[in-house]
Amino acid sequence: MNKLMKYLSDYKKESVLAPLFKLLEAFFELLVPLVMASIIDRGINAGGAGGADTAHIWRMGLCLLALAVVGLVSSITAQFFAAKAAVGFSAKLRQALFDHIQGLDFTNIDKAGTSTMITRMTSDVNQIQSGVNLVLRLFLRSPIIVFGAMIMAFTIDVKSALVFVVAIPLLAIVVFGIMIWTMPLYKKVQANLDKVLGITRENLTGVRVIRAFHQEEVEEGRFRGFTKALADSQIFVGKISAVMNPVTYVIVNGAIIFLIYIGAVQVNVGNLTQGEVVAIINYMSQILVELVKLANLIITVTKALACADRVAGVFEIRNQERTAATGISEGMGGAKAPDSAGRAQGAGAASLDVGGTPFLHFDHVSLTYAGAGAETLHDIDFTVNRGETIGVIGGTGSGKSSLVNLIPGFYPVTGGHLRLEGRDIGQIPEDELRGMVGMVPQKAVLFKGTIRSNLQWGKPDATEEEMWQAIDTAQAREVVEGKRGKLDAEIAQNGKNLSGGQRQRLTIARALVRSPRILILDDSASALDYATDAKLRTAIRGLEGGTTTFIVSQRASSIRHADKIVVLDDGEMAGIGTHDELLENCEVYREIYFSQYPEERLKAAGAGNGTSGNRSDREKGGQSHGSR
């Protein structure tokens, strides 16, 4: 909790005034039993049997009213300052937490989990806010009332006040003992809440898949299991916390019984007046009320401390320093002997720029995700010249998206080196690197707002001319012009008021607005028809400025005319080259291509039968170059 207190620094005045006004209220409250004693002893009993000092009773009654009014004003003022400080603190904490999460790399976000991040930004911060509010209001007031009441009782009668000396330590043992017991249990409750939120988010995101496979009952069962675990943990800790109130009532009421007995004896012998006995009992009742408040405060503070530890844990997550990876030793460049899969590991090493330094160089790159048992990418080695179009193709799970996610630094290279213009990606400042790359992910994501505001994510100061140029390149003009307001047309959250193809074209336009040096299309045209896809690829190839384009696609037609095509198979390069070269030399590419164009397989088979060469010899040669 101490690590989070810096977010309360802007509310020092409120943090001081709130408890001070509460102390003022407590001071006036401690005077009430003395006024009541005066009313009884000097007012009601003043005239002896059947008599009363009415004037004194009225004076003391007005005094009670004045104490009540001043106490109410003090309480309201304290509530105002406490609420202002608590809400301001939580707003700053939530903003700082959001900013920190936004700065985390994908590895850390994957490790922490999306549901955990959401829980800590919402439920946990709300619990901390409640804790700060109650602490400012009651943390000083309740102890002052408790010990103040005991001191006031001693001023009235020492013998009777000894009951307080026994009762208060017993109450402290109960309250703080339960607090120590329940604190780790509240952490467990919040962890179970993470799980419930996680499965809720998963089911809402995948609701169409669940219904398509008729798995509603299975998912309902899983949800019931998680919610039952959460309910059980909450009920268990709730039972422990519920013990606090009855135990404190038993102790305090037992103390009141003793006070009444001792007071009666003292009144009989003439050592105490009736008003003083009533005052001592009122002080014990005040202690009871304050200890109930303190018990509730302890429960809330316990929850807040548990949540504060969880939030502080997020702040402790730090990105790794952006330094060069050293997973594979230096000097591994150049052509190498074929590996066990029959692929030359130095494939692509000859495609250097005129100056000898390639624009982008995957130098025996490997990638292992945090917590993964095996490498996702292994020994990826090829080069890219400026302005080239690179196609990336492979089966599902072959590592296509993982490969292109390395370029903008979303994930760190865990082996080998990835160099951009001779500089290791890990050594390029993040802002500079991201400014060079335009990324269109697999899932088209649009934000609530307008078409204009979405395009300005790519370039905040983009002109309308630049926007329309990007829209034309992305083949989205008909989408924009078909909307009322055109660039100012409203976009629903996640682009729900657009079709899949429209969302994809607008996300491509958003990436193109910034005129990136490297454009990555990660299977971002899957919802487009073949004609629109072809127009899009033609327009991208015609971009000025020598944009280097990576096209990840399951369609062979989408990458057929690329300058180089990288074929991935189970995280390894199965081949690299042009379409014709790969058809000749790469078995994996042939399988993919012929599965999409079976008529081409028949033509190839006929051509093979009519030639003097042996097709099996060609296939063997191709496997030695590009198959596993």
Side-chain angles (χ1 to χ4, degrees), residues 27-97:
F27 173 74
F28 290 122
E29 191 169 331
L30 288 172
L31 295 178
V32 170
L34 296 180
V35 177
M36 288 298 301
S38 179
I39 290 175
I40 293 172
D41 293 336
R42 297 178 58 187
I44 297 174
N45 295 331
D53 187 348
T54 306
H56 183 77
I57 293 174
W58 275 105
R59 284 197 301 271
M60 290 299 100
L62 291 174
C63 183
L64 282 177
L65 182 61
L67 289 174
V69 171
V70 175
L72 177 62
V73 172
S74 299
S75 177
I76 292 174
T77 306
Q79 299 274 22
F80 170 77
F81 286 125
K84 184 177 180 181
V87 172
F89 162 80
S90 66
K92 286 183 174 293
L93 175 59
R94 191 176 282 110
Q95 184 62 54
L97 186 60

Side-chain angles (χ1 to χ4, degrees), residues 414-433:
T414 55
H417 298 275
L418 175 56
R419 296 186 179 90
L420 177 61
E421 295 181 325
R423 301 164 65 192
D424 197 291
I425 288 288
Q427 296 176 330
I428 301 175
E430 188 174 277
D431 291 344
E432 179 184 347
L433 178 61

Side-chain angles (χ1 to χ4, degrees), residues 355-367:
T357 300
F359 176 67
L360 188 65
H361 185 193
F362 285 80
D363 185 5
H364 301 278
V365 166
S366 297
L367 170 65

Side-chain angles (χ1 to χ4, degrees), residues 61-229:
L62 291 174
C63 183
L64 282 177
L65 182 61
L67 289 174
V69 171
V70 175
L72 177 62
V73 172
S74 299
S75 177
I76 292 174
T77 306
Q79 299 274 22
F80 170 77
F81 286 125
K84 184 177 180 181
V87 172
F89 162 80
S90 66
K92 286 183 174 293
L93 175 59
R94 191 176 282 110
Q95 184 62 54
L97 186 60
F98 181 79
D99 292 342
H100 180 74
I101 292 173
Q102 287 290 88
L104 293 177
D105 58 31
F106 284 19
T107 300
N108 284 320
I109 291 176
D110 292 345
K111 193 185 300 181
T114 304
S115 60
T116 298
M117 297 291 190
I118 294 173
T119 304
R120 296 188 188 187
M121 281 193 62
T122 52
S123 174
D124 286 353
V125 173
N126 287 340
Q127 289 284 2
I128 297 171
Q129 176 183 326
S130 298
V132 171
N133 193 354
L134 284 180
V135 165
L136 292 177
R137 287 165 44 200
L138 300 176
F139 188 69
L140 289 180
R141 182 188 189 280
S142 293
I144 290 296
I145 289 286
V146 171
F147 290 105
M150 184 176 68
I151 293 170
M152 297 297 288
F154 269 101
T155 63
I156 295 172
D157 182 58
V158 174
K159 190 174 181 180
S160 299
L162 290 175
V163 176
F164 289 75
V165 177
V166 177
I168 290 175
L170 286 176
L171 292 167
I173 291 172
V174 171
V175 169
F176 288 101
I178 291 178
M179 181 190 75
I180 294 171
W181 190 3
T182 55
M183 186 177 293
L185 296 178
Y186 279 118
K187 291 183 180 179
K188 185 177 179 181
V189 168
Q190 291 300 117
N192 286 334
L193 182 61
D194 284 348
K195 295 177 183 177
V196 171
L197 182 61
I199 192 172
T200 303
R201 180 175 178 273
E202 181 180 301
N203 279 303
L204 289 175
T205 304
V207 63
R208 288 185 176 88
V209 178
I210 293 169
R211 290 178 179 175
F213 287 90
H214 195 53
Q215 294 294 304
E216 292 94 337
E217 292 184 3
V218 174
E219 290 304 315
E220 284 176 10
R222 287 182 64 212
F223 185 78
R224 286 195 195 97
F226 281 107
T227 51
K228 186 178 185 302

Side-chain angles (χ1 to χ4, degrees), residues 127 174-175 177-193 228-246 295-296 298-304 306:
Q127 289 284 2
V174 171
V175 169
I178 291 178
M179 181 190 75
I180 294 171
W181 190 3
T182 55
M183 186 177 293
L185 296 178
Y186 279 118
K187 291 183 180 179
K188 185 177 179 181
V189 168
Q190 291 300 117
N192 286 334
L193 182 61
K228 186 178 185 302
L230 174 61
D232 290 344
S233 61
Q234 286 179 319
I235 291 170
F236 181 69
V237 71
K239 286 179 179 178
I240 298 172
S241 299
V243 171
M244 189 180 296
N245 280 358
N296 293 326
I298 293 297
I299 292 172
T300 304
V301 168
T302 301
K303 293 179 182 178

Side-chain angles (χ1 to χ4, degrees), residues 554-627:
Q554 298 282 3
R555 295 179 182 173
S557 61
S558 297
I559 49 93
R560 179 171 183 169
H561 300 290
D563 298 303
K564 291 191 186 82
I565 300 172
V566 178
V567 184
L568 295 179
D569 184 24
D570 197 21
E572 298 184 1
M573 281 180 59
I576 183 170
T578 63
H579 169 75
D580 293 334
E581 291 172 347
L582 291 172
L583 275 183
E584 186 71 22
N585 300 319
C586 182
E587 180 64 28
V588 174
Y589 184 77
R590 276 201 299 270
E591 289 176 2
I592 295 171
Y593 181 74
F594 288 144
S595 67
Q596 297 176 14
Y597 298 96
E599 67 279 4
E600 296 289 334
R601 183 191 295 273
L602 297 176
K603 292 180 182 178
N609 290 333
T611 60
S612 57
N614 189 316
R615 180 184 175 191
S616 63
D617 291 339
R618 289 203 319 273
E619 290 183 352
K620 289 178 182 178
Q623 290 171 1
S624 67
H625 174 72
S627 64

